[in-house]
Amino acid sequence: MSIIFEPVDAHDRDLALGAGGLLAHFNVAGVLTSADVHVAANLGRLVGEGDDAVLLAVALAVRAVRHGSVCLDLAAVPQSLADLDLPWPEPGTWPAAISASPLVAAGVVHLEHGLVYLDRYHEQETQVLHDLRDRGRSVHTVDEALLDQSLARVFPDVASAEQRAACRRAATQATTVITGGPGTGKTTAVAGLLVALVEQAEARGEALRIALAAPTGKAAARLEQSVRDSASRFGGQDQGRLADVTAMTMHRLLRRHPGNSTRFRHHRGNRLPHDLVVVDEASMVSLTMMARLLEAVRPEARLVLVGDPDQLSSVDAGAVLTDLVRGYEHRGDTPVAALTTAHRYGAEIGELAEALRLGDADRAVAALRAGGDAVEWVAAGDPAGTIRSAVLPHALAVHDGAVAGDPTRALAALDRHRLLCAHRDGPFGVRHWNRRIEQWFTAETGVSVHDAAYLGRPILASSNDYSLGVYNGDTGVIVASAVGARAAIATGVGFLEIAPSRLGDVETMHAMTIHKSQGSQADEITVLLPDEDSRLLTRELFYTAVTRAQRKVRVIGSESAVRAAIARQALRASGLRARLADA
C-alpha cells in the first residue's frame, strides 16, 4: 500500500486504540484522526447506528471539514485517496445505507445529491442560500441621472468603464459580488460607489450609514487605506464625502458574543444599523462567517462582497465567494460584476498570474523562462544564496530605519519585500528561514536576536488584541525611541507605537506563509515553492503568492514543483454552487 500520510504507532495521539472495523483501517492508514473516529463512534452510539459504512462516512465528513470542505462528496473521496489500498464501501450501496441510517432520520447527518453533511454545516449552507435568494428579490431605486453624473465625475476615464458598470449594478441591487484579480480596481470601484450612494442620500436629505469590513485586521487596514488613496484622486467635495469612512474586522462589525465563538451580538433579531455593508477579501470568509453576516445585514441594506475567487479560501470550512461566482455564472440574474483589467503590475507578472489562474502549466513555465525585469525564476540549486541576496538588503534597510528611530522609514522598507513560504515547518518553512535570515542579520550587524525586542525585528501579529488596536495579520518593526524600544505597528493610515512587552502573540517576519500574506502586497515578492509532493502546493497557493507583487516576483522552485502546483487545485466540497445554479 502506498502511504501518503504520516505513519502512526501505538503511542500516536491520532491513533484511536478502541476503534474497530472500517474506522480502525482508515485510522491506522492515517486517513482519519482519533478525533474523527471518536465523533463518528459517539454519534453512532447515541442513535444506535452500527453500520461500518455509515460511521466511516460520518468520520470522513468530520475530516472533510478539517480540510476546508463543507461536506463529504462520496464519489470524489475514493478517487482522491486512490493510492491507498483501503476497504472502501461498495459505491452502489453506500449512499443507500447512509440514507436509511437513524443518523439521517435524527437530523444529525444530511445526505443530498451524494453529499454528506454534518447538521451544522447543512443548516448554514441552507441559510446562506435562502438569505441570498430573499435578498435577490429586492430592488433599490436610485436617481438615475444623478447616479450617471456621480459615476462620470469619479470615473472620467474610458479605462474605468468596468468600475462604472460595477457601481451602477451595486447601486440598484441588494447584493453585489465584485470580483477581479489584484490590481483590477476593486477598491477603486468601492470608493466610487460610496461617493455615488452618499450623494444619492444627500439628495434625499438623509445620511448614509456605511460599514467597511474585512476578515482580518490587516485586510481591514488595507481596505481603509485603499479607499482613502482612491478618494485622494477625487474632487474636494467627493473627498469630503469619504473623510470619515473607516474599516474594521468582521468580528468587530458583528460584535462577538461573550462565551460563544460562533455567535455574535448582531443577528436576525438584532440587525446591523448600516445602509451599506462592504466586505473586502471575501475569498477569506468561511461559510460560518458568511451565514452570520447575512443574518445580521438588514434586508433593505445593500451588501457588497469584494474579492478574488481564484485566491486561497478561508482557513475554515467553505469557499463561499468561489461558490457564488461559479453558481451564478450561467444565470441571467447574476449579482456578480467582474473586473478583468489589471492595473497593479505590468505585463510580465500579469502573464504569469493569468497562466496560473487558467491552470495552463506550459504558459506559466514559458512566462517564467521569459523572465524580464519583473519575473525571475530560480529553478535549481541551493535556494540559500538567492534568498540571502534577496532578503538581507531589505532586512538591513529595516534595521537602519529602526536604529534611526524612524518608524515610517522602517515600515516602508519592510513593505518593499516579502519572502513567502507554503509551509511553517521543515526545510521550505517559515521557521527555518526566519532562523537562517536572523543568523545572516546577526553576522552583518552584530545584533543579538535572542532579545525579542531587538531593533529592526520585523513582527507579525497572530491574534487580535482589541484593546491595543492590533489584529491578526498586522505587521510592524521594533524601533528605537526616546523611551526605549517600541513596536511600530502599521495600521494602513499610519502606525501605532506600543511597548513590546504589551504585545500578545507575535512572530518574527523575515519570512511569512502565503496564507498569512493574503490581503497584503509588497513591491517585490520572493516565493519559495516546496517539493512537488507537498500537499500544500496548489494552484491557488501559487497564484496568491505571485499576485502579492506590485513590481517584481521571484520564484524559487523546480519546474516539476511549478507544474505540480498548477495541476493540483484546492477543491472544496460544497453544495452551495449547485444549489445556487438551480435556485
Side-chain angles (χ1 to χ4, degrees):
M1 156 172 93
S2 173
I3 295 295
I4 58 172
F5 299 92
E6 291 294 326
V8 295
D9 58 38
H11 302 288
D12 195 311
R13 66 180 180 181
D14 281 332
L15 186 63
L17 297 177
L22 290 178
L23 293 179
H25 278 291
F26 281 74
N27 180 223
V28 170
V31 176
L32 299 176
T33 66
S34 58
D36 302 332
V37 171
H38 292 317
V39 170
N42 287 334
L43 288 177
R45 278 193 289 271
L46 284 174
V47 300
E49 175 59 82
D51 188 324
D52 260 9
V54 174
L55 297 180
L56 175 63
V58 175
L60 288 171
V62 177
R63 173 187 183 271
V65 171
R66 285 195 294 104
H67 285 256
S69 291
V70 172
C71 53
L72 172 71
D73 186 339
L74 288 176
V77 172
Q79 297 172 19
S80 66
L81 300 174
D83 289 341
L84 292 176
D85 182 17
L86 288 169
W88 290 99
E90 174 59 41
T93 60
W94 201 8
I98 299 168
S99 181
S101 171
L103 285 165
V104 172
V108 177
V109 173
H110 299 261
L111 175 66
E112 290 187 11
H113 308 295
L115 303 177
V116 179
Y117 294 83
L118 302 176
D119 180 60
R120 170 184 172 184
Y121 295 98
H122 183 268
E123 178 186 8
Q124 290 174 359
E125 186 177 281
T126 302
Q127 181 213 310
V128 167
L129 181 71
H130 289 169
D131 284 343
L132 288 172
R133 184 181 59 199
D134 292 344
R135 291 183 59 80
R137 299 190 181 107
S138 300
V139 177
H140 286 259
T141 57
V142 295
D143 183 330
E144 294 281 355
L146 180 59
L147 180 63
D148 288 341
Q149 291 174 17
S150 301
L151 296 180
R153 188 176 65 250
V154 296
F155 298 122
D157 301 330
V158 175
S160 301
E162 287 182 338
Q163 281 92 341
R164 285 195 296 273
C167 290
R168 189 171 285 107
R169 179 175 292 183
T172 56
Q173 59 193 24
T175 306
T176 305
V177 182
I178 299 178
T179 69
T184 53
K186 298 188 295 295
T187 312
T188 302
V190 168
L193 174 66
L194 297 183
V195 167
L197 292 181
V198 168
E199 193 168 13
Q200 292 276 326
E202 290 172 348
R204 299 190 302 268
E206 301 171 356
L208 187 72
R209 293 166 295 184
I210 300 170
L212 301 183
T216 68
K218 182 66 175 178
R222 283 207 54 79
L223 172 62
E224 182 174 331
Q225 180 183 19
S226 297
V227 168
R228 292 181 185 276
D229 290 346
S230 297
S232 68
R233 298 192 290 270
F234 299 159
Q237 189 172 9
D238 288 335
Q239 288 185 38
R241 290 185 168 109
L242 303 185
D244 297 327
V245 171
T246 59
M248 68 189 79
T249 64
M250 292 180 67
H251 284 79
R252 173 161 276 195
L253 172 68
L254 297 175
R255 297 181 62 200
R256 186 181 291 280
H257 195 288
N260 192 322
S261 62
T262 61
R263 289 290 176 180
F264 298 88
R265 292 184 184 275
H266 287 292
H267 46 71
R268 211 173 296 278
N270 180 31
R271 303 274 192 169
L272 290 165
H274 306 93
D275 305 302
L276 171 65
V277 177
V278 178
V279 177
D280 196 18
E281 296 292 347
S283 66
M284 300 166 64
V285 179
S286 67
L287 175 66
T288 298
M289 281 302 295
M290 187 63 72
R292 299 296 171 251
L293 174 69
L294 286 170
E295 71 180 12
V297 176
R298 292 186 299 126
E300 63 272 23
R302 291 178 177 88
L303 173 63
V304 180
L305 304 174
V306 185
D308 183 351
D310 297 303
Q311 284 188 24
L312 288 166
S313 300
S314 165
V315 295
D316 296 317
V320 182
L321 182 68
T322 301
D323 286 340
L324 294 182
V325 173
R326 306 294 181 246
Y328 282 116
E329 63 185 350
H330 297 303
R331 291 178 48 172
D333 59 340
T334 176
V336 178
L339 306 181
T340 59
T341 305
H343 306 286
R344 175 188 292 180
Y345 37 63
E348 293 168 348
I349 297 178
E351 171 65 11
L352 176 58
E354 182 66 3
L356 295 176
R357 189 184 71 81
L358 296 174
D360 189 334
D362 290 339
R363 183 176 170 184
V365 169
L368 287 167
R369 284 179 176 154
D373 294 335
V375 175
E376 178 185 345
W377 186 20
V378 182
D382 184 352
T386 300
I387 292 175
R388 188 182 195 280
S389 61
V391 175
L392 189 56
H394 296 285
L396 296 177
V398 171
H399 176 254
D400 290 344
V403 171
D406 189 340
T408 301
R409 177 177 152 197
L411 290 169
L414 184 66
D415 281 340
R416 284 198 284 271
H417 182 268
R418 288 281 191 278
L419 170 61
L420 303 182
C421 305
H423 292 264
R424 291 190 60 81
D425 299 302
F428 298 98
V430 165
R431 290 193 175 100
H432 171 78
W433 288 104
N434 272 326
R435 288 194 298 269
R436 290 290 299 275
I437 294 164
E438 285 189 324
Q439 290 169 0
W440 298 330
F441 175 81
T442 297
E444 289 286 332
T445 64
V447 173
S448 171
V449 297
H450 297 297
D451 180 358
Y454 70 83
L455 297 182
R457 181 193 179 198
I459 54 176
L460 174 69
S462 53
S463 64
N464 296 324
D465 189 327
Y466 294 105
S467 64
L468 292 178
V470 176
Y471 306 105
N472 185 11
D474 281 355
T475 57
V477 180
I478 304 298
V479 300
S481 76
V483 293
R486 306 284 283 179
I489 307 295
T491 63
V493 289
F495 60 87
L496 300 172
E497 280 201 26
I498 301 168
S501 59
R502 297 187 64 197
L503 291 174
D505 299 324
V506 294
E507 306 168 1
T508 300
M509 198 198 70
H510 291 293
M512 70 189 305
T513 63
I514 297 170
H515 274 88
K516 284 282 190 179
S517 74
Q518 280 189 276
S520 66
Q521 61 188 38
D523 290 346
E524 184 178 322
I525 293 292
T526 298
V527 185
L528 178 62
L529 297 180
D531 284 338
E532 61 188 277
D533 58 355
S534 168
R535 285 183 289 155
L536 293 181
L537 188 59
T538 64
R539 185 189 307 175
E540 292 82 0
L541 188 88
F542 197 2
Y543 172 85
T544 299
V546 166
T547 54
R548 298 309 91 207
Q550 292 182 287
R551 185 179 58 84
K552 180 175 181 177
V553 63
R554 178 184 297 103
V555 176
I556 303 175
S558 66
E559 180 175 340
S560 60
V562 169
R563 291 185 178 276
I566 296 170
R568 187 183 295 126
Q569 283 192 272
L571 298 177
R572 295 188 169 192
S574 163
L576 183 59
R577 183 180 311 188
R579 296 170 79 181
L580 282 170
D582 294 338

